[in-house]
Amino acid sequence: MAKYLAMRIKAGKLDYDTVVEKYPQYKAAIDEILHEEDGGNGDNN
């Protein structure tokens, strides 16, 4: 689920803050996935 949410955030279909507010249990995993996808540079928001 976290990977799906992270990919939708990256695609601009979902808002990071909204997703983390609704699914706080996935925040750490989403952050990690976005960080990896970003090459480890930049902000996840």
PDB file of all heavy atoms in Angstrom, residues 1-2 5-6 9 14-32 34 44-45:
ATOM      1  N   MET A   1       0.824  -1.196   0.000  1.00  0.00           N
ATOM      2  CA  MET A   1       0.000   0.000   0.000  1.00  0.00           C
ATOM      3  C   MET A   1       0.869   1.261   0.000  1.00  0.00           C
ATOM      4  O   MET A   1       0.568   2.213  -0.712  1.00  0.00           O
ATOM      5  CB  MET A   1      -0.921  -0.034   1.231  1.00  0.00           C
ATOM      6  CG  MET A   1      -1.806   1.169   1.347  1.00  0.00           C
ATOM      7  SD  MET A   1      -3.145   1.096   0.184  1.00  0.00           S
ATOM      8  CE  MET A   1      -4.262   2.243   0.926  1.00  0.00           C
ATOM      9  N   ALA A   2       1.942   1.253   0.785  1.00  0.00           N
ATOM     10  CA  ALA A   2       2.813   2.427   0.858  1.00  0.00           C
ATOM     11  C   ALA A   2       3.443   2.723  -0.496  1.00  0.00           C
ATOM     12  O   ALA A   2       3.547   3.889  -0.891  1.00  0.00           O
ATOM     13  CB  ALA A   2       3.891   2.226   1.917  1.00  0.00           C
ATOM     14  N   LEU A   5       0.827   4.360  -2.720  1.00  0.00           N
ATOM     15  CA  LEU A   5       0.606   5.741  -2.318  1.00  0.00           C
ATOM     16  C   LEU A   5       1.776   6.629  -2.719  1.00  0.00           C
ATOM     17  O   LEU A   5       1.573   7.747  -3.216  1.00  0.00           O
ATOM     18  CB  LEU A   5       0.356   5.819  -0.812  1.00  0.00           C
ATOM     19  CG  LEU A   5      -0.943   5.177  -0.318  1.00  0.00           C
ATOM     20  CD1 LEU A   5      -0.953   5.118   1.200  1.00  0.00           C
ATOM     21  CD2 LEU A   5      -2.155   5.922  -0.843  1.00  0.00           C
ATOM     22  N   ALA A   6       2.982   6.151  -2.523  1.00  0.00           N
ATOM     23  CA  ALA A   6       4.170   6.935  -2.888  1.00  0.00           C
ATOM     24  C   ALA A   6       4.211   7.206  -4.384  1.00  0.00           C
ATOM     25  O   ALA A   6       4.541   8.319  -4.808  1.00  0.00           O
ATOM     26  CB  ALA A   6       5.435   6.207  -2.445  1.00  0.00           C
ATOM     27  N   ILE A   9       1.673   9.853  -5.198  1.00  0.00           N
ATOM     28  CA  ILE A   9       2.172  11.159  -4.759  1.00  0.00           C
ATOM     29  C   ILE A   9       3.181  11.679  -5.781  1.00  0.00           C
ATOM     30  O   ILE A   9       3.109  12.828  -6.212  1.00  0.00           O
ATOM     31  CB  ILE A   9       2.803  11.072  -3.356  1.00  0.00           C
ATOM     32  CG1 ILE A   9       1.723  10.800  -2.303  1.00  0.00           C
ATOM     33  CG2 ILE A   9       3.576  12.345  -3.028  1.00  0.00           C
ATOM     34  CD1 ILE A   9       2.257  10.381  -0.951  1.00  0.00           C
ATOM     35  N   LEU A  14      -1.911  12.409  -5.827  1.00  0.00           N
ATOM     36  CA  LEU A  14      -2.267  12.525  -4.416  1.00  0.00           C
ATOM     37  C   LEU A  14      -1.361  13.551  -3.755  1.00  0.00           C
ATOM     38  O   LEU A  14      -0.216  13.733  -4.176  1.00  0.00           O
ATOM     39  CB  LEU A  14      -2.112  11.179  -3.695  1.00  0.00           C
ATOM     40  CG  LEU A  14      -3.037  10.051  -4.109  1.00  0.00           C
ATOM     41  CD1 LEU A  14      -2.645   8.757  -3.410  1.00  0.00           C
ATOM     42  CD2 LEU A  14      -4.486  10.397  -3.804  1.00  0.00           C
ATOM     43  N   ASP A  15      -1.869  14.193  -2.727  1.00  0.00           N
ATOM     44  CA  ASP A  15      -1.104  15.175  -1.966  1.00  0.00           C
ATOM     45  C   ASP A  15      -0.415  14.485  -0.789  1.00  0.00           C
ATOM     46  O   ASP A  15      -1.073  13.760  -0.027  1.00  0.00           O
ATOM     47  CB  ASP A  15      -2.047  16.271  -1.461  1.00  0.00           C
ATOM     48  CG  ASP A  15      -1.317  17.303  -0.635  1.00  0.00           C
ATOM     49  OD1 ASP A  15      -0.463  18.010  -1.194  1.00  0.00           O
ATOM     50  OD2 ASP A  15      -1.604  17.382   0.578  1.00  0.00           O
ATOM     51  N   TYR A  16       0.885  14.696  -0.647  1.00  0.00           N
ATOM     52  CA  TYR A  16       1.670  14.053   0.413  1.00  0.00           C
ATOM     53  C   TYR A  16       1.059  14.289   1.794  1.00  0.00           C
ATOM     54  O   TYR A  16       0.845  13.350   2.557  1.00  0.00           O
ATOM     55  CB  TYR A  16       3.114  14.569   0.374  1.00  0.00           C
ATOM     56  CG  TYR A  16       3.956  14.081   1.523  1.00  0.00           C
ATOM     57  CD1 TYR A  16       4.592  12.844   1.458  1.00  0.00           C
ATOM     58  CD2 TYR A  16       4.114  14.844   2.681  1.00  0.00           C
ATOM     59  CE1 TYR A  16       5.355  12.379   2.521  1.00  0.00           C
ATOM     60  CE2 TYR A  16       4.877  14.383   3.747  1.00  0.00           C
ATOM     61  CZ  TYR A  16       5.496  13.159   3.650  1.00  0.00           C
ATOM     62  OH  TYR A  16       6.242  12.695   4.714  1.00  0.00           O
ATOM     63  N   ASP A  17       0.781  15.543   2.129  1.00  0.00           N
ATOM     64  CA  ASP A  17       0.280  15.871   3.464  1.00  0.00           C
ATOM     65  C   ASP A  17      -1.065  15.198   3.746  1.00  0.00           C
ATOM     66  O   ASP A  17      -1.301  14.700   4.854  1.00  0.00           O
ATOM     67  CB  ASP A  17       0.159  17.387   3.639  1.00  0.00           C
ATOM     68  CG  ASP A  17       1.513  18.073   3.664  1.00  0.00           C
ATOM     69  OD1 ASP A  17       2.483  17.456   4.142  1.00  0.00           O
ATOM     70  OD2 ASP A  17       1.593  19.221   3.207  1.00  0.00           O
ATOM     71  N   THR A  18      -1.931  15.159   2.756  1.00  0.00           N
ATOM     72  CA  THR A  18      -3.238  14.532   2.912  1.00  0.00           C
ATOM     73  C   THR A  18      -3.100  13.029   3.145  1.00  0.00           C
ATOM     74  O   THR A  18      -3.753  12.463   4.019  1.00  0.00           O
ATOM     75  CB  THR A  18      -4.114  14.790   1.671  1.00  0.00           C
ATOM     76  OG1 THR A  18      -4.222  16.200   1.470  1.00  0.00           O
ATOM     77  CG2 THR A  18      -5.490  14.189   1.834  1.00  0.00           C
ATOM     78  N   VAL A  19      -2.231  12.396   2.366  1.00  0.00           N
ATOM     79  CA  VAL A  19      -2.026  10.954   2.498  1.00  0.00           C
ATOM     80  C   VAL A  19      -1.452  10.614   3.868  1.00  0.00           C
ATOM     81  O   VAL A  19      -1.927   9.698   4.542  1.00  0.00           O
ATOM     82  CB  VAL A  19      -1.101  10.426   1.384  1.00  0.00           C
ATOM     83  CG1 VAL A  19      -0.695   8.982   1.636  1.00  0.00           C
ATOM     84  CG2 VAL A  19      -1.772  10.550   0.031  1.00  0.00           C
ATOM     85  N   VAL A  20      -0.447  11.358   4.312  1.00  0.00           N
ATOM     86  CA  VAL A  20       0.191  11.082   5.609  1.00  0.00           C
ATOM     87  C   VAL A  20      -0.783  11.342   6.760  1.00  0.00           C
ATOM     88  O   VAL A  20      -0.768  10.621   7.762  1.00  0.00           O
ATOM     89  CB  VAL A  20       1.483  11.910   5.754  1.00  0.00           C
ATOM     90  CG1 VAL A  20       2.030  11.857   7.166  1.00  0.00           C
ATOM     91  CG2 VAL A  20       2.532  11.411   4.774  1.00  0.00           C
ATOM     92  N   GLU A  21      -1.643  12.330   6.595  1.00  0.00           N
ATOM     93  CA  GLU A  21      -2.646  12.600   7.626  1.00  0.00           C
ATOM     94  C   GLU A  21      -3.652  11.446   7.717  1.00  0.00           C
ATOM     95  O   GLU A  21      -4.039  11.035   8.802  1.00  0.00           O
ATOM     96  CB  GLU A  21      -3.372  13.903   7.302  1.00  0.00           C
ATOM     97  CG  GLU A  21      -4.375  14.318   8.356  1.00  0.00           C
ATOM     98  CD  GLU A  21      -5.032  15.651   8.028  1.00  0.00           C
ATOM     99  OE1 GLU A  21      -4.324  16.580   7.597  1.00  0.00           O
ATOM    100  OE2 GLU A  21      -6.255  15.742   8.204  1.00  0.00           O
ATOM    101  N   LYS A  22      -4.058  10.925   6.561  1.00  0.00           N
ATOM    102  CA  LYS A  22      -5.054   9.852   6.533  1.00  0.00           C
ATOM    103  C   LYS A  22      -4.459   8.482   6.855  1.00  0.00           C
ATOM    104  O   LYS A  22      -5.122   7.635   7.434  1.00  0.00           O
ATOM    105  CB  LYS A  22      -5.724   9.821   5.161  1.00  0.00           C
ATOM    106  CG  LYS A  22      -6.908   8.903   5.096  1.00  0.00           C
ATOM    107  CD  LYS A  22      -7.725   9.131   3.861  1.00  0.00           C
ATOM    108  CE  LYS A  22      -8.964   8.254   3.883  1.00  0.00           C
ATOM    109  NZ  LYS A  22      -9.846   8.479   2.770  1.00  0.00           N
ATOM    110  N   TYR A  23      -3.201   8.270   6.462  1.00  0.00           N
ATOM    111  CA  TYR A  23      -2.529   6.977   6.659  1.00  0.00           C
ATOM    112  C   TYR A  23      -1.187   7.158   7.365  1.00  0.00           C
ATOM    113  O   TYR A  23      -0.132   6.890   6.773  1.00  0.00           O
ATOM    114  CB  TYR A  23      -2.303   6.278   5.317  1.00  0.00           C
ATOM    115  CG  TYR A  23      -3.560   6.056   4.518  1.00  0.00           C
ATOM    116  CD1 TYR A  23      -3.858   6.865   3.426  1.00  0.00           C
ATOM    117  CD2 TYR A  23      -4.447   5.048   4.866  1.00  0.00           C
ATOM    118  CE1 TYR A  23      -5.018   6.663   2.695  1.00  0.00           C
ATOM    119  CE2 TYR A  23      -5.606   4.835   4.135  1.00  0.00           C
ATOM    120  CZ  TYR A  23      -5.885   5.647   3.053  1.00  0.00           C
ATOM    121  OH  TYR A  23      -7.033   5.444   2.335  1.00  0.00           O
ATOM    122  N   PRO A  24      -1.194   7.625   8.605  1.00  0.00           N
ATOM    123  CA  PRO A  24       0.076   7.891   9.297  1.00  0.00           C
ATOM    124  C   PRO A  24       0.940   6.643   9.473  1.00  0.00           C
ATOM    125  O   PRO A  24       2.162   6.753   9.569  1.00  0.00           O
ATOM    126  CB  PRO A  24      -0.363   8.451  10.649  1.00  0.00           C
ATOM    127  CG  PRO A  24      -1.768   7.990  10.829  1.00  0.00           C
ATOM    128  CD  PRO A  24      -2.350   7.890   9.452  1.00  0.00           C
ATOM    129  N   GLN A  25       0.337   5.471   9.453  1.00  0.00           N
ATOM    130  CA  GLN A  25       1.105   4.229   9.616  1.00  0.00           C
ATOM    131  C   GLN A  25       2.028   3.970   8.419  1.00  0.00           C
ATOM    132  O   GLN A  25       2.970   3.198   8.526  1.00  0.00           O
ATOM    133  CB  GLN A  25       0.166   3.030   9.839  1.00  0.00           C
ATOM    134  CG  GLN A  25      -0.689   2.634   8.653  1.00  0.00           C
ATOM    135  CD  GLN A  25      -2.029   3.346   8.549  1.00  0.00           C
ATOM    136  OE1 GLN A  25      -2.182   4.480   8.986  1.00  0.00           O
ATOM    137  NE2 GLN A  25      -2.999   2.674   7.956  1.00  0.00           N
ATOM    138  N   TYR A  26       1.780   4.632   7.293  1.00  0.00           N
ATOM    139  CA  TYR A  26       2.608   4.432   6.095  1.00  0.00           C
ATOM    140  C   TYR A  26       3.634   5.536   5.889  1.00  0.00           C
ATOM    141  O   TYR A  26       4.402   5.495   4.926  1.00  0.00           O
ATOM    142  CB  TYR A  26       1.727   4.338   4.845  1.00  0.00           C
ATOM    143  CG  TYR A  26       0.790   3.160   4.840  1.00  0.00           C
ATOM    144  CD1 TYR A  26      -0.577   3.344   4.727  1.00  0.00           C
ATOM    145  CD2 TYR A  26       1.277   1.867   4.948  1.00  0.00           C
ATOM    146  CE1 TYR A  26      -1.447   2.259   4.726  1.00  0.00           C
ATOM    147  CE2 TYR A  26       0.416   0.784   4.949  1.00  0.00           C
ATOM    148  CZ  TYR A  26      -0.943   0.988   4.836  1.00  0.00           C
ATOM    149  OH  TYR A  26      -1.793  -0.079   4.832  1.00  0.00           O
ATOM    150  N   LYS A  27       3.661   6.551   6.755  1.00  0.00           N
ATOM    151  CA  LYS A  27       4.541   7.709   6.552  1.00  0.00           C
ATOM    152  C   LYS A  27       6.001   7.327   6.376  1.00  0.00           C
ATOM    153  O   LYS A  27       6.650   7.762   5.426  1.00  0.00           O
ATOM    154  CB  LYS A  27       4.403   8.712   7.694  1.00  0.00           C
ATOM    155  CG  LYS A  27       5.273   9.958   7.465  1.00  0.00           C
ATOM    156  CD  LYS A  27       5.216  10.902   8.631  1.00  0.00           C
ATOM    157  CE  LYS A  27       5.967  12.185   8.390  1.00  0.00           C
ATOM    158  NZ  LYS A  27       7.319  12.058   7.908  1.00  0.00           N
ATOM    159  N   ALA A  28       6.537   6.513   7.264  1.00  0.00           N
ATOM    160  CA  ALA A  28       7.954   6.146   7.184  1.00  0.00           C
ATOM    161  C   ALA A  28       8.264   5.431   5.875  1.00  0.00           C
ATOM    162  O   ALA A  28       9.263   5.730   5.212  1.00  0.00           O
ATOM    163  CB  ALA A  28       8.351   5.288   8.378  1.00  0.00           C
ATOM    164  N   ALA A  29       7.409   4.511   5.487  1.00  0.00           N
ATOM    165  CA  ALA A  29       7.633   3.763   4.242  1.00  0.00           C
ATOM    166  C   ALA A  29       7.503   4.668   3.021  1.00  0.00           C
ATOM    167  O   ALA A  29       8.295   4.577   2.082  1.00  0.00           O
ATOM    168  CB  ALA A  29       6.663   2.593   4.148  1.00  0.00           C
ATOM    169  N   ILE A  30       6.512   5.553   3.024  1.00  0.00           N
ATOM    170  CA  ILE A  30       6.340   6.497   1.915  1.00  0.00           C
ATOM    171  C   ILE A  30       7.560   7.397   1.800  1.00  0.00           C
ATOM    172  O   ILE A  30       8.091   7.613   0.701  1.00  0.00           O
ATOM    173  CB  ILE A  30       5.054   7.327   2.096  1.00  0.00           C
ATOM    174  CG1 ILE A  30       3.824   6.442   1.883  1.00  0.00           C
ATOM    175  CG2 ILE A  30       5.028   8.522   1.150  1.00  0.00           C
ATOM    176  CD1 ILE A  30       2.514   7.094   2.285  1.00  0.00           C
ATOM    177  N   ASP A  31       8.015   7.929   2.935  1.00  0.00           N
ATOM    178  CA  ASP A  31       9.200   8.790   2.928  1.00  0.00           C
ATOM    179  C   ASP A  31      10.407   8.055   2.360  1.00  0.00           C
ATOM    180  O   ASP A  31      11.166   8.612   1.567  1.00  0.00           O
ATOM    181  CB  ASP A  31       9.511   9.286   4.341  1.00  0.00           C
ATOM    182  CG  ASP A  31       8.519  10.325   4.839  1.00  0.00           C
ATOM    183  OD1 ASP A  31       7.726  10.845   4.029  1.00  0.00           O
ATOM    184  OD2 ASP A  31       8.543  10.611   6.046  1.00  0.00           O
ATOM    185  N   GLU A  32      10.589   6.816   2.766  1.00  0.00           N
ATOM    186  CA  GLU A  32      11.726   6.027   2.283  1.00  0.00           C
ATOM    187  C   GLU A  32      11.633   5.792   0.780  1.00  0.00           C
ATOM    188  O   GLU A  32      12.616   5.950   0.053  1.00  0.00           O
ATOM    189  CB  GLU A  32      11.763   4.687   3.021  1.00  0.00           C
ATOM    190  CG  GLU A  32      12.968   3.849   2.670  1.00  0.00           C
ATOM    191  CD  GLU A  32      13.034   2.567   3.476  1.00  0.00           C
ATOM    192  OE1 GLU A  32      12.662   2.577   4.660  1.00  0.00           O
ATOM    193  OE2 GLU A  32      13.466   1.561   2.895  1.00  0.00           O
ATOM    194  N   LEU A  34       9.932   7.580  -1.486  1.00  0.00           N
ATOM    195  CA  LEU A  34      10.117   8.843  -2.200  1.00  0.00           C
ATOM    196  C   LEU A  34      11.577   9.265  -2.186  1.00  0.00           C
ATOM    197  O   LEU A  34      12.090   9.797  -3.176  1.00  0.00           O
ATOM    198  CB  LEU A  34       9.232   9.935  -1.607  1.00  0.00           C
ATOM    199  CG  LEU A  34       7.731   9.763  -1.828  1.00  0.00           C
ATOM    200  CD1 LEU A  34       6.964  10.853  -1.092  1.00  0.00           C
ATOM    201  CD2 LEU A  34       7.380   9.758  -3.296  1.00  0.00           C
ATOM    202  N   ASN A  44      10.829  15.557   0.327  1.00  0.00           N
ATOM    203  CA  ASN A  44       9.751  14.633  -0.019  1.00  0.00           C
ATOM    204  C   ASN A  44       8.409  15.302  -0.137  1.00  0.00           C
ATOM    205  O   ASN A  44       7.453  14.705  -0.592  1.00  0.00           O
ATOM    206  CB  ASN A  44       9.652  13.517   1.045  1.00  0.00           C
ATOM    207  CG  ASN A  44      10.805  12.567   0.974  1.00  0.00           C
ATOM    208  OD1 ASN A  44      11.453  12.461  -0.049  1.00  0.00           O
ATOM    209  ND2 ASN A  44      11.067  11.865   2.065  1.00  0.00           N
ATOM    210  N   ASN A  45       8.299  16.533   0.292  1.00  0.00           N
ATOM    211  CA  ASN A  45       6.991  17.185   0.270  1.00  0.00           C
ATOM    212  C   ASN A  45       6.769  17.847  -1.053  1.00  0.00           C
ATOM    213  O   ASN A  45       7.358  18.669  -1.524  1.00  0.00           O
ATOM    214  CB  ASN A  45       6.876  18.214   1.396  1.00  0.00           C
ATOM    215  CG  ASN A  45       6.910  17.514   2.737  1.00  0.00           C
ATOM    216  OD1 ASN A  45       6.659  16.321   2.827  1.00  0.00           O
ATOM    217  ND2 ASN A  45       7.189  18.280   3.772  1.00  0.00           N
TER     218      ASN A  45
END
